[in-house]
C-alpha cells in the first residue's frame, strides 16, 4: 500500500499519458497494476487480472478489445473502475460515468476525474491541520466520487496497524 505521503502527492495518469497504441492484455494488466496496486492491501497479490477485465467486457462494462488490442479509452475506463471499485459497486460507477459523459466527451471527463481525485486526496491527506486544496469542481457527482475515494483511502490507512494517527 502507498504511504501517507505517496497518497497525498499521488498523480493520476491523464488521457494523453496513456499509450496511443494497442496493448495486449498482459501489458494492460501490468500497466494498470502499477497505478492502482498501491491503493490496495499489500497482502493482495494481484489487484488487476485478465479475468477481471474479461468479466467487465462480458458484462458490457468495458467495450471489447479490437483484435485483442486495448487502446487509451480502455485503459482510462479500466483505471476508473479499478480505483473506484473498493468504494462503489460497478453499477454505481457505470451510472456515474453515464451521467458525467452526457454533456462532455469521455477524454474530457476522464481528465476532470483525475484532477478531482488528486485534489480530493490532497484534501483528505492535508498536513499540519491546514486544508491545502479545495475541490473547485462544480459537478457534484465528480466531487462525491473523488471525496468518497480519498476518504476511503484515508480510513484504510488509519485502520492499518502500521499507521500512527498522529502522523497527520
Amino acid at each position: 500500500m502507498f504511504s501517507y505521503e505517496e497518497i497525498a502527492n499521488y498523480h493520476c495518469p491523464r488521457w494523453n499519458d496513456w499509450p496511443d497504441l494497442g496493448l495486449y492484455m498482459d501489458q494492460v494488466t501490468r500497466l494498470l497494476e502499477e497505478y492502482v496496486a498501491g491503493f490496495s492491501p499489500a497482502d493482495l497479490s494481484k489487484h488487476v487480472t485478465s479475468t477481471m477485465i474479461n468479466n467487465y467486457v462480458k458484462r458490457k462494462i468495458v467495450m471489447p478489445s479490437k483484435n485483442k488490442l486495448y487502446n487509451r479509452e480502455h485503459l482510462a475506463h479500466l483505471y476508473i473502475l479499478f480505483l473506484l471499485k473498493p468504494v462503489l459497486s460497478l453499477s454505481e460507477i457505470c451510472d456515474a460515468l453515464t451521467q458525467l459523459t452526457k454533456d462532455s466527451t469521455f477524454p474530457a471527463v476522464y481528465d476532470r476525474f483525475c484532477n478531482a481525485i488528486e485534489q480530493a486526496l490532497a484534501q483528505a491527506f492535508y498536513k499540519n491541520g491546514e486544508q491545502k486544496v479545495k475541490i473547485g469542481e462544480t459537478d457534484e457527482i465528480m466531487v462525491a466520487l473523488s471525496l468518497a475515494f480519498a476518504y476511503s483511502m484515508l480510513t484504510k490507512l488509519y485502520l492499518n496497524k502500521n499507521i500512527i494517527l498522529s502522523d497527520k
Side-chain angles (χ1 to χ4, degrees), residues 90-119:
L90 292 174
S91 64
E92 291 169 328
I93 297 168
C94 291
D95 289 347
L97 287 174
T98 299
Q99 288 185 41
L100 290 168
T101 55
K102 271 194 296 191
D103 299 322
S104 190
T105 65
F106 180 70
V109 167
Y110 175 77
D111 281 343
R112 282 186 20 242
F113 170 81
C114 289
N115 289 335
I117 287 290
E118 289 173 1
Q119 290 176 12

Side-chain angles (χ1 to χ4, degrees), residues 34-140:
E34 288 177 32
Y35 284 109
V36 301
F39 291 111
S40 300
D43 59 348
L44 188 60
S45 62
K46 278 290 200 176
H47 308 87
V48 177
T49 67
S50 58
T51 303
M52 292 175 189
I53 295 171
N54 287 330
N55 284 335
Y56 296 155
V57 171
K58 283 180 191 172
R59 294 175 64 186
K60 297 184 180 182
I61 295 170
V62 175
M63 65 185 165
S65 63
K66 194 172 192 178
N67 299 324
K68 296 187 179 186
L69 293 173
Y70 293 84
N71 61 31
R72 185 179 277 168
E73 188 165 353
H74 289 105
L75 293 167
H77 268 100
L78 289 165
Y79 177 72
I80 291 171
L81 286 172
F82 283 110
L83 272 188
L84 295 179
K85 76 177 192 159
V87 181
L88 299 169
S89 71
L90 292 174
S91 64
E92 291 169 328
I93 297 168
C94 291
D95 289 347
L97 287 174
T98 299
Q99 288 185 41
L100 290 168
T101 55
K102 271 194 296 191
D103 299 322
S104 190
T105 65
F106 180 70
V109 167
Y110 175 77
D111 281 343
R112 282 186 20 242
F113 170 81
C114 289
N115 289 335
I117 287 290
E118 289 173 1
Q119 290 176 12
L121 288 170
Q123 178 174 316
F125 288 77
Y126 67 90
K127 296 197 177 215
N128 302 323
E130 294 179 29
Q131 186 175 343
K132 292 184 178 179
V133 179
K134 291 189 178 192
I135 304 269
E137 194 66 52
T138 57
D139 192 337
E140 288 133 0

Side-chain angles (χ1 to χ4, degrees), residues 2-18 31-32 34-37 39 79 83 110-111 113-122 149:
F2 287 138
S3 70
Y4 189 96
E5 190 72 25
E6 289 169 322
I7 293 175
N9 297 308
Y10 182 75
H11 176 72
C12 298
R14 296 306 192 271
W15 180 259
N16 288 325
D17 294 337
W18 293 113
L31 184 59
L32 287 168
E34 288 177 32
Y35 284 109
V36 301
F39 291 111
Y79 177 72
L83 272 188
Y110 175 77
D111 281 343
F113 170 81
C114 289
N115 289 335
I117 287 290
E118 289 173 1
Q119 290 176 12
L121 288 170
F149 173 75

